Amino acid sequence: MPESATLINGSTEAKSLTHAVAENVALLRQQGITPGLAVVLVGDDPASAIYVRSKVRKTEAVGMRSFCHRLPSNTPQAALLDLIATLNDDKDIHGILVQLPLPPHIQRDAVLDAISPEKDVDGFHVVNAGKLAIGRTDGMIPCTPLGCLILLRRVLPVLSGLHAVVIGCSNIVGRPMARLLLNEGCTVVLTHLQTRDVAAEARRADILIVAAGHPRLVRGSWVKPGAVVIDVGINRITTPTGPTIVGDVAFDEVSVHARAVTPVPGGVGPMTIACLLQNTLEAARNITHKVSPI
Ligand code: GUN
């Protein structure tokens, strides 16, 4: 009987991180500071609406203030930029998140660049992306890659020197993930749609991060025995038994080869929101400590 991989439980890890955030929020509140997170949703993408609802609920659950702005899909870009300027100036707001994707008439980069880098809890502003790219540790780190790193550290206390392969090069996950792993001392290969033989690259990985947005892309034969596999995918598919959610990894096959693997659901997903709360706490601390006492 083949051995089966250790399950990396993102739900448990997210609960303990969220609990730690809530304790620190309580301490800040004793000093008269209540961290505030503004979430902006433009349009009516159903998946985004679910994520935003969950972000609002969890923000309030840790004792932070939540400010949610739901705008119609035909909102002019200028109106969205005006709202961001108002949120940047609002002393009660320490974190700002604009849910992606945005409607096609809005330029994503113009919107992300308008958010004050200190309040950019997504870590998508070019200043924060740049800091991560040059190995500086004083920027905001995007939530999903940060969650993946925390889960990896649970099973691999030392990352330095390991060979990491990242499948998918989005600005939200793949690129920042590759930079984080590089900063941890890994040798990193970042693969994308033009990569000639992704499976061959994957087979060299001690650490395999999959954020391709393609259901069950990674097969058992792609995984080196003993590798640690982090599955970022959340794909809604229909099977003969009805609709279900699967990752970017063929879990049953991969868990025969891997040393440890994240499940979907219950792996990376819960960590993303926990890290968003952690980033908001961090932003509240940074912004408050910068304010002069007089
Ligand atoms: N859409 C999908 N993932 C994310 C995320 O982490 N942040 C934002 N703002 N939008 C997203």
Side-chain angles (χ1 to χ4, degrees):
M1 175 126 166
E3 276 193 47
S4 199
T6 301
L7 264 192
I8 306 173
N9 191 330
S11 300
T12 308
E13 201 60 43
K15 256 188 210 139
S16 86
L17 179 55
T18 304
H19 183 72
V21 170
E23 284 183 342
N24 282 289
V25 169
L27 289 177
L28 267 185
R29 286 177 66 150
Q30 282 170 16
Q31 299 166 38
I33 303 146
T34 303
L37 173 64
V39 177
V40 181
L41 174 64
V42 187
D44 35 36
D45 176 62
S48 293
I50 293 171
Y51 291 136
V52 164
R53 222 175 299 135
S54 180
K55 285 169 185 175
V56 167
R57 198 165 35 82
K58 293 193 171 153
T59 301
E60 288 168 351
V62 293
M64 295 181 182
R65 293 179 73 189
S66 172
F67 304 83
C68 188
H69 296 265
R70 292 183 172 85
L71 307 179
S73 58
N74 62 357
T75 300
Q77 177 169 312
L80 179 56
L81 294 178
D82 281 348
L83 172 62
I84 292 171
T86 306
L87 300 174
N88 282 340
D89 289 341
D90 189 332
K91 299 267 178 296
D92 291 334
I93 290 172
H94 303 93
I96 301 170
L97 177 150
V98 177
Q99 186 67 27
L100 301 177
L102 287 164
H105 68 280
I106 296 180
Q107 286 178 305
R108 185 195 59 185
D109 290 345
V111 171
L112 297 180
D113 286 354
I115 299 171
S116 159
E118 295 81 40
K119 296 191 177 187
D120 169 38
V121 284
D122 257 329
F124 295 162
H125 190 284
V126 70
V127 165
N128 286 316
K131 284 182 175 179
L132 182 61
I134 62 171
R136 275 175 56 166
T137 55
D138 60 337
M140 282 286 169
I141 297 173
C143 304
T144 301
L146 181 57
C148 293
L149 183 63
I150 293 170
L151 293 181
L152 269 181
R153 285 217 182 100
R154 279 278 151 210
V155 285
L156 290 170
V158 179
L159 300 176
S160 176
L162 296 181
H163 191 86
V165 174
V166 179
I167 300 181
C169 71
S170 72
N171 284 344
I172 295 180
V173 187
R175 282 172 200 256
M177 187 76 241
R179 285 158 185 159
L180 262 184
L181 290 166
L182 179 64
N183 295 347
E184 292 294 320
C186 294
T187 301
V188 183
V189 173
L190 177 55
T191 72
H192 45 78
L193 284 174
Q194 279 77 44
T195 300
R196 262 187 250 136
D197 189 346
V198 181
E201 300 294 345
R203 272 182 217 110
R204 294 189 197 106
D206 303 311
I207 296 169
L208 183 60
I209 312 277
V210 193
H214 189 297
R216 296 180 180 137
L217 173 74
V218 173
R219 309 299 304 264
S221 62
W222 291 32
V223 175
K224 180 164 91 171
V228 174
V229 180
I230 306 287
D231 186 352
V232 183
I234 301 177
N235 306 289
R236 289 165 182 84
I237 63 161
T238 306
T239 65
T241 54
T244 186
I245 291 179
V246 297
D248 289 354
V249 157
F251 182 85
D252 292 348
E253 293 181 15
V254 164
S255 53
V256 173
H257 299 265
R259 191 183 117 196
V261 61
T262 56
V264 176
V268 174
M271 290 301 288
T272 297
I273 297 190
C275 289
L276 171 66
L277 301 174
Q278 168 69 41
N279 278 355
T280 305
L281 172 70
E282 208 55 44
R285 282 180 174 146
N286 292 342
I287 291 170
T288 317
H289 290 151
K290 260 196 210 158
V291 173
S292 116
I294 43 169

